[in-house]
Amino acid sequence: MKAISYIDGMDHGFQNPLVDIEKTMPTLKDRDLLVKVKAISVNPVDTKVRRNPVAVGNTRILGWDAVGEVVEVGSGVQHFKVGDQVWYAGDLTRDGSNAEYQAVDERIVSLKPQSLSDAEAAALPLTAITAWEMLFDRFNVDLDKFDNILVIGGAGGVGSIAIQLLKAKTNLRVIATASREETKAWVKSLGADYVIDHTEDLNTQIKALGLDAPRYIFSTNQTETYLPQISKLIAPQGKFGLIDDPKSLDIVEFKSKSVSVHWEFMFTRSMFNTTDIEQQSQLLHQVAELVDNHRIKTTLNQTLGKINAKNLKLAHELIETGRAKGKIVLEGF
């Protein structure tokens, strides 16, 4: 089958270039589905893993967002059949979706939304799982209270779906950050109640709006940069969450406010085969229902063509600028 891997080296500053390869078909475990991949999206995790040291002869396949068709099922599969149209984010410990076929555990898979095209649907799984787990598993937000939540990096993939989930499922007032006119317009279109500029002082802007201190703060990027502001801004007994990888995280200033800290990693359930691993299938099913009921829309912003090394390199380069809006998708081989 066709697939894309990466090799050690540099290509005009691009660390560990992507390459087209041929690879044998995956072997299924009992609970696995064999999915013919139709569309994928690209996430920061792809670029982070690609930049890791590469072993000689390594042909690891990246990609942790996919839409496709089930073409074979493992002996222990309970919920899917051949022909089902599915979506998922996959498992960081296994080969990813940058291949014609992928083996994936059914417990982290759901039927895709019927109202979206393959490309539109491929934009959502990883970011939807990340945002959902942070908001409803880690923060355990009170769905009925009218608290304030600040989403730092509202125009990115996770921020884009987090805003929509908050507006679809809670009464929270959403303050989102963006710095360019196009990204400010984007987060506003997704439902943000207020938009502030993360290149300027957050506290000053929120006070100018006459808003109470946020009970929840969700940082999707550059957490180290914002942490001193966050410690002053967050409400007493608030909840702070992050998904990026700061070199250090000094939370001493949180003590006087009894702030709880939540570090979300959406691969935890699949990586450790947790007892609640099937929650990912269930939450993706709920997201699909929200999409089909027109309460959430795709965060697809750009389609770069077919799934190959050339187009994936362009997607990785765009992600690495840190200025991407919404999601980047590739479709077909």
Side-chain angles (χ1 to χ4, degrees), residues 45 64 89-92 126 265-272 280:
V45 64
W64 291 282
D91 179 344
L92 192 64
L126 184 145
F265 187 56
M266 59 77 51
F267 294 111
T268 297
R269 282 173 163 143
S270 56
M271 182 177 287
F272 294 97
Q280 287 202 347

Side-chain angles (χ1 to χ4, degrees), residues 58-71:
N58 177 51
T59 57
R60 184 176 186 186
I61 300 171
L62 304 174
W64 291 282
D65 255 337
V67 168
E69 180 176 347
V70 177
V71 295

Side-chain angles (χ1 to χ4, degrees), residues 274-289:
T274 60
T275 56
D276 65 348
I277 185 174
E278 204 151 2
Q279 289 290 324
Q280 287 202 347
S281 174
Q282 294 168 10
L283 76 83
L284 280 173
H285 174 72
Q286 292 181 70
V287 172
E289 287 186 330

Side-chain angles (χ1 to χ4, degrees), residues 122-322:
L124 289 172
L126 184 145
T127 54
I129 294 170
T130 300
W132 185 291
E133 290 185 349
M134 178 63 83
L135 298 173
F136 307 121
D137 295 344
R138 315 298 175 225
F139 282 173
N140 193 23
V141 298
D142 190 323
L143 305 184
D144 299 318
K145 285 194 174 181
F146 291 90
D147 290 308
N148 293 331
I149 181 168
L150 173 63
V151 179
I152 297 175
V158 173
S160 293
I161 190 64
I163 293 168
Q164 295 189 76
L165 287 172
L166 286 163
K167 300 310 293 183
K169 289 180 61 64
T170 81
N171 286 319
L172 271 65
R173 288 181 289 266
V174 180
I175 310 161
T177 77
S179 60
R180 291 172 285 143
E181 290 306 313
E182 62 175 309
T183 52
K184 289 176 181 178
W186 170 257
V187 297
K188 196 70 176 176
S189 74
L190 297 174
D193 298 293
Y194 304 94
V195 182
I196 62 176
D197 191 332
H198 47 239
T199 66
E200 300 178 6
D201 185 75
L202 303 178
N203 292 266
T204 301
Q205 294 176 82
I206 288 178
K207 287 179 181 177
L209 291 170
L211 300 174
D212 293 333
R215 182 180 178 189
Y216 308 98
I217 297 182
F218 183 3
S219 177
T220 68
N221 56 46
Q222 299 184 44
T223 296
E224 281 179 298
T225 301
Y226 303 112
L227 198 59
Q229 296 184 65
I230 291 168
S231 63
K232 295 178 182 178
L233 176 62
I234 195 166
Q237 302 184 93
K239 296 183 179 184
F240 168 66
L242 69 157
I243 58 173
D244 59 334
D245 303 292
K247 293 179 181 178
S248 63
L249 192 70
D250 184 354
I251 59 172
V252 170
E253 295 300 320
F254 286 160
K255 181 178 180 179
S256 64
K257 291 185 175 179
S258 298
V259 171
S260 60
V261 178
H262 307 264
W263 214 327
E264 162 62 18
F265 187 56
M266 59 77 51
F267 294 111
T268 297
R269 282 173 163 143
S270 56
M271 182 177 287
F272 294 97
N273 192 26
T274 60
T275 56
D276 65 348
I277 185 174
E278 204 151 2
Q279 289 290 324
Q280 287 202 347
S281 174
Q282 294 168 10
L283 76 83
L284 280 173
H285 174 72
Q286 292 181 70
V287 172
E289 287 186 330
L290 289 169
V291 170
D292 286 336
N293 289 329
H294 307 292
R295 300 184 68 191
I296 286 177
K297 64 181 181 180
T298 181
T299 55
L300 168 63
N301 181 54
Q302 190 172 9
T303 303
L304 294 181
K306 292 190 177 297
I307 305 168
N308 56 42
K310 178 182 177 181
N311 290 338
L312 272 171
K313 178 185 178 183
L314 178 56
H316 280 230
E317 288 174 331
L318 290 169
I319 292 289
E320 288 175 337
T321 67

Side-chain angles (χ1 to χ4, degrees), residues 29-34 70 73-81 86-88 94 103-111 277-278 280-282 284:
K29 301 177 183 178
D30 288 349
R31 298 294 299 272
D32 277 354
L33 310 174
L34 182 63
V70 177
V73 298
S75 60
V77 166
Q78 301 172 17
H79 305 300
F80 296 91
K81 64 183 184 303
V86 296
W87 68 343
Y88 54 88
R94 305 181 69 178
V104 60
D105 191 308
E106 69 163 340
R107 294 173 296 175
I108 57 173
V109 176
S110 163
L111 295 176
I277 185 174
E278 204 151 2
Q280 287 202 347
S281 174
Q282 294 168 10
L284 280 173

